[in-house]
Amino acid sequence: MKKGLVLEGGAMRGMFTCGVLDVFMENGLHFDGIAGISAGATFGCNFKSHQIGRALRYNKRYSKDWRYCSFRSLIRTGDLYGAEFCYHTIPEFFDPFDTETFKNDPTEFFIGATDITTGEVRFHKCTDGGAADIEWMRASASMPVVSNIVSVDGYKMLDGGIVCSVPYEYMEQQGYDRNVIILTQPKGYLKKKSPVVPLVKLMLRKYPAVGKAMAVRHDVYNAQMEEIDRKEECGEAIVIRPPESLGIGRTEKDPDELQRVYQMGRDEAVRRLAELRSFLGD
C-alpha cells in the first residue's frame, strides 16, 4: 500500500489546505508521496519540510506588501505575484524554507505545471528544495495573463491548473493506491468557462495549445470532480473539502480572512482525523 496526498490549487483558497496540512503534521499523519498543483505545490511543500504554520504566517505578514501581490508588481515585473519576492526574498531571508529537512524527508513530492507549447501537464519530482524545485513551484502557480512564462528544464510553463487541477490520476499512475485528496471548493461546485479565455488566446497566440486547453478547462475540471465523487463514494479515496464556499478571493489580502479560511481547514481535518487514521492504517 502506498499512501498519497493530492493537493488542489486555488490561490488563496489554499489557506484551507494549509489548515488541513498543519493538523496532519501536528497529529503525525504520514504519506509516502504528495502531488500538488499551483497553490497545492507552493503551500504543500511545507508538509515535506515539516514547517507547521509557515504558509499562513508569511501570507498574513506579506499579503499587503506590493512586492508580494499587486498590480504594481504586475506592471513593473510582469508577475502579479512578484517572482523575486515570493520565491527568493521570503523563503531565503524573511521566512526561511527548510531545504535541509525537505531534502532529507523521504516523502516523494511531485509538482505539475502546464507546458504551453504542447498544452499538456508535466510533472517534476522535487528532490532538494533547491533552485530548480523552486522554479517548478513558481511555474505551477503562474496564472496566465498575470504571470510571465517560466522557462525551466527546457520547457515553457504556466499554471498546472490549466490542464490538471487535481493530480489524483498521476498519483495512481505512480502506484499510489491509498490517496487523500484535499480540495478547495465545496461538494457540488461546478466550474464555468473562464471569461479570460479570449484574452489568454490573444496574449498567448504563439502558443495555441494553451488557449485550447483554457477553453475546455471547466469541462475537464468538472469531469475530475465527478470521478473524485465516485472514488469517495466507493471508499477508494478520502476527500477533504470545505463544507461550504470559502467566500475568499484568489488574491485575498485581509489577514483575518486568511486566518478564517485556514481555521476552516483545521476544523475539517480535526473532524475527520479518526476516519483518516483508519483509512491510512495508522
Side-chain angles (χ1 to χ4, degrees):
M1 180 177 73
K2 290 182 72 175
K3 298 182 287 186
L5 183 59
V6 181
L7 309 177
E8 182 184 11
M12 287 307 161
R13 291 199 312 272
M15 285 294 101
F16 176 85
T17 302
C18 293
V20 174
L21 296 184
D22 282 356
V23 169
F24 284 7
M25 286 190 276
E26 291 164 1
N27 286 273
L29 268 63
H30 299 287
F31 298 86
D32 301 303
I34 303 169
I37 296 287
S38 194
T42 57
F43 298 159
C45 62
N46 294 289
F47 189 91
K48 184 172 164 63
S49 66
H50 304 185
Q51 291 179 279
I52 296 171
R54 178 175 177 268
L56 174 69
R57 183 174 61 242
Y58 74 71
N59 274 283
K60 288 177 66 174
R61 185 173 297 166
Y62 300 111
S63 61
K64 294 183 179 180
D65 191 311
W66 75 266
R67 297 169 296 175
Y68 186 72
C69 176
S70 69
F71 283 108
R72 181 179 174 186
S73 173
L74 178 61
I75 293 168
R76 292 186 61 170
T77 71
D79 288 301
L80 184 66
Y81 281 89
E84 183 64 28
F85 191 73
C86 294
Y87 297 98
H88 295 285
T89 304
I90 290 176
E92 292 173 13
F93 302 104
F94 289 172
D95 200 323
F97 179 54
D98 190 345
T99 54
E100 193 64 23
T101 298
F102 184 94
K103 180 175 66 175
N104 291 327
D105 184 277
T107 307
E108 293 187 305
F109 191 81
F110 304 99
I111 289 174
T114 298
D115 182 335
I116 63 171
T117 302
T118 64
E120 300 174 344
V121 65
R122 293 189 181 276
F123 285 91
H124 167 77
K125 181 179 177 180
C126 296
T127 56
D128 59 6
D133 290 349
I134 296 297
E135 280 298 278
W136 273 90
M137 292 180 198
R138 181 164 79 92
S140 183
S142 290
M143 297 179 286
V145 178
V146 295
S147 305
N148 288 307
I149 295 168
V150 180
S151 295
V152 56
D153 288 346
Y155 304 114
K156 294 182 177 180
M157 314 289 275
L158 283 173
D159 192 341
I162 296 172
V163 179
C164 175
S165 294
V166 190
Y168 64 90
E169 290 176 294
Y170 178 78
M171 288 296 275
E172 291 171 355
Q173 292 166 4
Q174 304 309 304
Y176 287 89
D177 54 0
R178 209 74 171 162
N179 293 315
V180 175
I181 303 171
I182 303 179
L183 304 178
T184 58
Q185 295 283 14
K187 190 176 180 66
Y189 170 79
L190 289 175
K191 187 180 287 293
K192 298 177 181 179
K193 188 172 183 177
S194 172
V196 304
V197 169
L199 186 57
V200 171
K201 288 185 174 181
L202 175 63
M203 294 185 68
L204 295 172
R205 55 190 175 276
K206 292 182 180 179
Y207 308 98
V210 76
K212 291 178 181 178
M214 277 292 296
V216 298
R217 182 187 181 196
H218 60 296
D219 292 328
V220 173
Y221 181 88
N222 293 336
Q224 281 197 318
M225 292 305 108
E226 271 190 37
E227 178 62 12
I228 287 171
D229 285 349
R230 186 197 66 77
K231 289 180 178 294
E232 182 179 32
E233 290 167 6
C234 294
E236 295 177 12
I238 291 283
V239 182
I240 298 181
R241 59 184 120 203
E244 59 189 25
S245 175
L246 294 174
I248 192 173
R250 291 179 64 84
T251 59
E252 181 63 61
K253 296 178 179 296
D254 184 344
D256 292 337
E257 282 296 285
L258 299 177
Q259 179 70 49
R260 176 183 67 80
V261 171
Y262 169 83
Q263 188 60 48
M264 287 179 68
R266 289 191 62 90
D267 292 344
E268 195 63 16
V270 168
R271 187 179 74 81
R272 306 284 296 277
L273 267 178
E275 180 186 2
L276 284 159
R277 290 193 188 282
S278 176
F279 179 77
L280 296 171
D282 286 352

